[in-house]
Amino acid sequence: MAEAPVVVAIDGPAASGKGTLARRLAAHLGFAHLDTGLLYRATARRVIDAGGDAADGAAALRAARSLTAADLQGEGLREETVTAAASVVAANAAVRAALFDYQRGFAAAPPDGAPGAVLEGRDIGTVVCPDARVKIFLDAHEDVRARRRLRELLQRGAKGIHAEVLRDLRARDARDRGRAAAPLAPAEDAFVIDSSTMDADEVFRQALALIDTRTTIRK
């Protein structure tokens, strides 16, 4: 009987660095990578493109059920309007349920025969993959995360000021942590990394050290 794929779950709030860590770990280990946030962004994008409101539960559910792989490669998924709408869409329990099967299927059978999968999001270790071999909750002080997000915006040529970015981030945190459906929180058995004073290399090394304690797969 074939050994089950190794699943690494990485959760955390916006701009905590989980995307950078997830992509780097997946490349290093030869694992498949899934940014589950793209599913919610793509759902929000569909709603917006149809002229709908992200707070319209029925419209969001229709969009989630009609997603295709091509939607995850669509343009504009990182725009601020989509980011805000995705947070609203993600609070919809029916939408989350509609997207769970895709995420769990990816973890159970990683594409291209990869020996494992790295999934990043906000409820991977708690809801989507509660039996994941490795669970990491990556966090950072909100002011640090706001500076990171502002830097990303400026690098993309977008405008922004720290105060506004911080306000938006706080509002998103409140939605993510306070929603009834799969709120953002560390799994009980997750390893929490506070990256407030760490660079990406330090976070990567600490995560690899944790993986070494949970699995023999290492490159």
Side-chain angles (χ1 to χ4, degrees), residues 40 44-45 48 54 80-90 175:
Y40 298 97
R45 177 85 265 176
I48 292 171
E80 285 303 295
T81 53
V82 175
T83 296
S87 183
V88 175
V89 164
R175 286 194 298 269

Side-chain angles (χ1 to χ4, degrees), residues 1-6 108 110 114-116 133 214-217:
M1 183 176 180
E3 184 177 354
V6 173
R133 187 89 59 89
R214 302 290 177 86
T215 176
T216 57
I217 293 183

